[in-house]
Amino acid sequence: MQKRGYFITSEGPEGAGKTTVMNLLGDQLKQEGYDVVMTREPGGIMISEKIRNIILDNEHTMMESRTEALLYAAARRQHLVEIVQPAIEAGKIVICDRFIDSSLAYQGFARGIGVEEILAINKFAIGNIMPNKTILFDIDPSVGLARINAHENREKNRLDVESLTFHEKVREGYLSLVDQYPERIEVIDASRSIDAVLEDVYKVIKGELEIIR
Ligand code: TMP
């Protein structure tokens, strides 16, 4: 019997450790025999990586917020069609670092465009494909930003260098999405050690996978 595909996304501010933890989760699931595809937004494939470079270029300070939102949605569309959709249809588990909730929190809420407006342009981009489960790595933005600044080699892009107030709004935006999508979004306290966070994330995802398979 064909296994059902499953779509997991990770969300959160910079420095929440989501990439590290989700990579470890992916490795663990692969070791257990699951067919896992790890990917990220914006990017993952050639066209979307190019759009990512345009959006995040520190020289593009003149980029207007709706332009930014449309570019994220365009990158999302291409990535969805090339990577996410075929993998889900093939019965794989897709783990994607960021998806629509990033646009809702960053562009909709923190940039002030409005969550409904961002939802509308993203509906155009993704149709009715939504994640089955979203892990929100919640952390005080000042702690997250301090973690980034402690790593000299880490890329600091055009959004990383926004003010603390902007990142506080991003967090507020994410937490309001939890009220909007309580079934889908699972909040994890990301201020703890990687091992502790991974343990919680693993429990949530394993529980979900056992239900569908
Ligand atoms: P990353 O550093 O996690 O790869 O993400 C790149 C930046 O892009 C990060 O600051 C969050 C931001 N972003 C948005 O503002 N909207 C979006 O839709 C996505 C996917 C990312």
Side-chain angles (χ1 to χ4, degrees):
M1 195 183 82
Q2 164 84 27
K3 287 192 168 158
R4 279 172 61 192
Y6 197 77
F7 184 23
I8 303 164
T9 58
S10 54
E11 294 284 355
E14 347 295 316
K18 65 184 166 41
T19 312
T20 310
V21 170
M22 293 313 263
N23 282 338
L24 291 169
L25 174 79
D27 290 345
Q28 175 76 34
L29 293 176
K30 281 180 198 167
Q31 272 176 24
E32 291 175 22
Y34 289 99
D35 200 349
V36 179
V37 172
M38 304 289 301
T39 188
R40 72 159 181 180
E41 273 202 1
I45 45 150
M46 190 175 66
I47 292 175
S48 303
E49 288 290 343
K50 285 185 177 170
I51 299 175
R52 175 189 175 94
N53 290 339
I54 296 173
I55 304 173
L56 297 179
D57 190 328
N58 280 311
E59 284 182 4
H60 293 172
T61 50
M62 71 296 276
M63 189 179 289
E64 198 269 337
S65 53
R66 286 182 182 232
T67 309
E68 181 183 282
L70 288 164
L71 286 172
Y72 277 118
R76 178 160 302 129
R77 171 73 192 166
Q78 190 65 28
H79 179 252
L80 185 86
V81 170
E82 276 193 54
I83 304 266
V84 178
Q85 229 168 354
I88 294 173
E89 279 163 16
K92 298 181 185 183
I93 296 170
V94 178
I95 301 182
C96 186
D97 193 346
R98 299 194 181 280
F99 192 62
I100 187 172
D101 300 303
S102 283
S103 285
L104 299 175
Y106 283 78
Q107 282 68 52
F109 207 89
R111 291 275 191 236
I113 298 175
V115 170
E116 286 308 313
E117 253 101 338
I118 298 298
L119 198 55
I121 62 160
N122 274 278
K123 281 270 164 211
F124 179 70
I126 64 174
N128 57 7
I129 299 186
M130 285 294 276
N132 297 98
K133 201 76 191 168
T134 298
I135 305 289
L136 172 56
F137 289 75
D138 183 46
I139 193 165
D140 183 327
S142 59
V143 177
L145 291 175
R147 282 183 181 175
I148 294 184
N149 291 329
H151 290 98
E152 275 174 21
N153 296 334
R154 193 191 185 281
E155 160 202 273
K156 283 183 202 66
N157 63 49
R158 198 170 55 79
L159 276 88
D160 293 336
V161 298
E162 280 285 346
S163 67
L164 182 60
T165 316
F166 175 82
H167 291 285
E168 278 165 352
K169 278 199 211 142
V170 170
R171 185 189 199 188
E172 222 182 295
Y174 271 131
L175 293 175
S176 74
L177 292 174
V178 180
D179 294 335
Q180 204 172 329
Y181 302 102
E183 298 285 309
R184 175 172 64 83
I185 306 180
E186 188 80 31
V187 187
I188 302 281
D189 173 5
S191 66
R192 299 164 303 150
S193 71
I194 289 178
D195 285 349
V197 176
L198 177 61
E199 195 182 324
D200 281 5
V201 174
Y202 179 79
K203 263 189 222 149
V204 171
I205 297 300
K206 216 29 210 186
E208 292 288 315
L209 294 178
E210 273 161 15
I211 292 170
I212 64 154
R213 287 171 183 229

